[in-house]
Amino acid sequence: MTTDNSAKSGIPLCVDLDGTLIRSDLLIESALALLAQRPLAIFSMLAWLLRGKAHLKREIARRVVVDPSTLPYNAELIDWLSEQRTQRQVVLCTASDITLARPVADHAAVFDDVIASNGDINLSGTRKARVLIERFGDKAFDYIGNAPVDLAVWKHAHAALVVENGHSLSSAAAKVATVEKRFEVRSGGSRTWAKALRIHQWIKNVLVFLPLLASHRLLEVDSLIPSLLAFFCFGLCASSVYITNDLLDLPADRQHHRKRNRPFAAGTLPLIAGPVLAVILLVAGFGLAMFVSRSFIGVLLAYYVLTSAYSIRLKRVMMLDVVVLATLYTTRILAGTAALHTKPSFWLLAFSMFIFLSLAMVKRFTELLTLQKSGKVKASGRGYDVEDIPLIQSLGASSGYLAVLVLALYVDSTASMSLYEHPHYLWMLCPLLLYWISRTWAIAHRGVMHDDPVVFAVMDRTSQILGVIAAVIVAAAI
């Protein structure tokens, strides 16, 4: 990385890292990576922080490795730095720990040297300014930054170069230095936040209405309101978990053909906003749950604990991950019964476990098929490799057909006879479900399935038509 700078006569150019060179923050990246490996390390982090931020960064950096090739870089800035390096010395100057900063500098290949925090000194604000003055002299270097804390550095810089969204920072920098250049970086708007919350995934929470529909109480206001509240509780809680999952799964997501475009992985939303928003959503979800019932709060808590365990560890355990996914779907149905103060139906729970286990298998099958086409062997952050494709296909299709069997047995049970005037009409649901399961797996086999089959089912025209036909059959049976 170090080059001969004798021929470079221009004023040295010093470049910030977090939020400037990369659209992320190495401290948060490394802290999240450590928490993904050891959740209880949060208590160690608090102890390290008591000894200073530099010590915290060094202790975290000693325990994790951040792959610099996966980070979201500011491509425009790097191209410009490549040109500048031919004329003058370019130095990476960052508050991140040197252990993590140096590999990033090596990967970017546009720097002559690296100045960073060392475990004793947190190189930020006035400390960074002091170090640069000692090395280059007052007003003898240019500096690129992206945050208000950089104003302390720009005050002593020959020229300020600003990476920002809008013009407020450059306006502030103009009061203490000459602003030579701006790099516009667009942050996410409402659509980006909605994408981070995965509002479209709330469609899965309609499962809380299944007990309401199955008991034929849809038109009862006293029953509908608790179910609606349960729907929003699960939506808020699920969004909190989605954000947490995205934060803990950054490296794997950035290697995925589609997930790398998620807001936090792509750097379109600040990482620091993720944990704050996740906590707010979680508190809101459980606060709203207090207006439903105590038993519902218990089910929602079980859902949160299980889905958090899935995000942190269980999703990496082969086969257990798909069973947990099926259980999480079924938990929504249990929540619906808790909201109504009724007992869960054995038939509904059994059907749910088998059908959603099949769909979870579709999800893994699709991911592995995509992996195979890209020439890779093992799924990042998962317990599968491409050799498992035939096994998953076999188990998934079998689980789907078992769901049809449960439905067929239910039609001829005393439970259906007590709820439906013409329960034999429900037999027509069996061929519909057989066709839908078979078609879903055929589409997955051809490699054209969305990697979330539930979203596919909602958006697929054929699935929509089959859903309408099934609704008509159920209505006729009543």
Side-chain angles (χ1 to χ4, degrees):
M1 179 175 60
T2 303
T3 61
D4 181 9
N5 297 312
S6 59
K8 298 181 180 182
S9 58
I11 292 177
L13 176 61
C14 301
V15 185
D16 182 40
L17 194 159
D18 301 315
T20 303
L21 182 72
I22 62 173
R23 301 188 63 176
S24 186
D25 186 299
L26 277 187
L27 172 58
I28 301 176
E29 290 262 354
S30 56
L32 290 171
L34 180 58
L35 288 175
Q37 299 171 12
R38 296 165 47 196
L40 295 180
I42 182 67
F43 299 107
S44 298
M45 291 183 195
L46 293 174
W48 297 333
L49 183 59
L50 292 176
R51 297 182 57 182
K53 204 169 182 180
H55 182 75
L56 169 68
K57 294 176 180 179
R58 171 53 56 90
E59 291 300 320
I60 294 175
R62 286 176 53 197
R63 291 165 172 81
V64 299
V65 176
V66 177
D67 185 355
S69 67
T70 65
L71 295 172
Y73 289 88
N74 187 330
E76 179 188 1
L77 177 60
I78 288 182
D79 290 341
W80 185 77
L81 291 176
S82 297
E83 298 175 0
Q84 293 297 307
R85 196 185 185 197
T86 63
Q87 307 166 22
R88 54 178 167 168
Q89 184 182 9
V90 180
V91 178
L92 182 64
C93 188
T94 175
S96 292
D97 192 84
I98 186 68
T99 307
L100 299 178
R102 193 173 295 280
V104 173
D106 291 339
H107 178 78
V110 292
F111 297 104
D112 299 297
D113 201 357
V114 179
I115 305 174
S117 297
N118 58 11
D120 297 318
I121 299 176
N122 184 45
L123 203 68
S124 178
T126 55
R127 291 189 184 91
K128 182 182 289 189
R130 191 180 307 120
V131 168
L132 292 179
I133 292 171
E134 291 175 356
R135 178 161 180 171
F136 301 111
D138 194 22
K139 302 291 184 179
F141 61 90
D142 292 344
Y143 180 74
I144 308 177
N146 75 299
V149 70
D150 294 317
L151 291 170
V153 183
W154 282 323
K155 184 177 180 181
H156 298 279
H158 169 265
L161 300 97
V162 185
V163 176
E164 65 178 338
N165 176 37
H167 294 80
S168 59
L169 184 60
S170 56
S171 297
K175 296 178 181 179
V176 298
T178 300
V179 177
E180 185 176 279
K181 188 176 179 63
R182 288 181 63 257
F183 294 88
E184 184 74 21
V185 177
R186 294 182 180 180
S187 60
S190 57
R191 288 187 177 181
T192 307
W193 283 107
K195 186 177 181 180
L197 295 176
R198 295 193 221 174
I199 298 298
H200 64 284
Q201 296 282 12
W202 283 29
I203 191 66
K204 299 175 182 178
N205 299 326
V206 299
L207 291 173
V208 301
F209 294 107
L210 272 184
L212 186 69
L213 293 171
S215 60
H216 306 164
R217 298 166 62 183
L218 183 61
L219 300 180
E220 297 179 11
V221 177
D222 291 343
S223 299
L224 181 59
I225 291 177
S227 296
L228 285 170
L229 290 176
F231 173 83
F232 286 107
C233 288
F234 263 83
L236 293 169
C237 187
S239 288
S240 173
V241 175
Y242 288 141
I243 290 175
T244 303
N245 179 68
D246 288 351
L247 293 174
L248 296 178
D249 217 21
L250 288 173
D253 283 354
R254 287 170 179 159
Q255 297 180 47
H256 192 275
H257 71 287
R258 186 182 59 82
K259 295 179 182 179
R260 64 188 178 191
N261 295 319
R262 287 177 174 173
F264 293 111
T268 51
L269 289 180
L271 285 184
I272 189 61
V276 175
L277 185 58
V279 171
I280 292 174
L281 291 168
L282 186 63
V283 171
F286 277 93
L288 192 61
M290 295 177 66
F291 296 95
V292 183
S293 70
R294 290 184 179 180
S295 57
F296 174 78
I297 294 176
V299 176
L300 186 63
L301 179 60
Y303 168 83
Y304 177 74
V305 171
L306 184 58
T307 194
S308 297
Y310 172 82
S311 298
I312 295 172
R313 174 59 183 151
L314 301 184
K315 66 182 178 183
R316 297 177 175 84
V317 182
M318 181 182 63
M319 294 302 170
L320 180 59
D321 63 330
V322 289
V323 173
V324 171
L325 281 177
T327 303
L328 290 173
Y329 282 112
T330 305
T331 302
R332 291 173 168 93
I333 298 175
L334 286 172
T337 61
L340 297 176
H341 302 281
T342 59
K343 293 182 179 180
S345 165
F346 161 79
W347 295 104
L348 188 56
L349 296 182
F351 175 83
S352 173
M353 280 300 298
F354 284 121
I355 192 69
F356 288 114
L357 178 59
S358 180
L359 294 181
M361 292 283 190
V362 169
K363 184 179 177 71
R364 290 293 173 263
F365 176 83
T366 302
E367 291 173 349
L368 288 175
L369 207 60
T370 302
L371 197 70
Q372 186 181 53
K373 290 180 179 179
S374 64
K376 297 180 180 179
V377 176
K378 190 172 182 62
S380 177
R382 304 290 183 184
Y384 301 91
D385 56 48
V386 295
E387 293 183 356
D388 298 321
I389 290 177
L391 175 64
I392 292 175
Q393 185 176 25
S394 175
L395 294 176
S398 300
S399 182
Y401 292 145
L402 284 174
V404 180
L405 177 60
V406 171
L407 176 60
L409 293 173
Y410 169 74
V411 171
D412 199 36
S413 70
T414 55
S416 67
M417 293 177 183
S418 64
L419 280 173
Y420 296 91
E421 186 175 350
H422 307 287
H424 55 280
Y425 288 177
L426 298 178
W427 278 107
M428 290 184 287
L429 294 175
C430 294
L432 286 181
L433 186 58
L434 278 170
Y435 168 66
W436 186 80
I437 290 291
S438 302
R439 178 177 177 272
T440 298
W441 274 100
I443 291 173
H445 178 75
R446 292 177 179 178
V448 292
M449 169 66 70
H450 187 285
D451 64 4
D452 191 327
V454 175
V455 175
F456 164 80
V458 174
M459 304 301 295
D460 176 54
R461 179 58 61 86
T462 300
S463 298
Q464 293 170 353
I465 294 173
L466 292 175
V468 171
I469 295 173
V472 171
I473 293 172
V474 173
I478 295 174

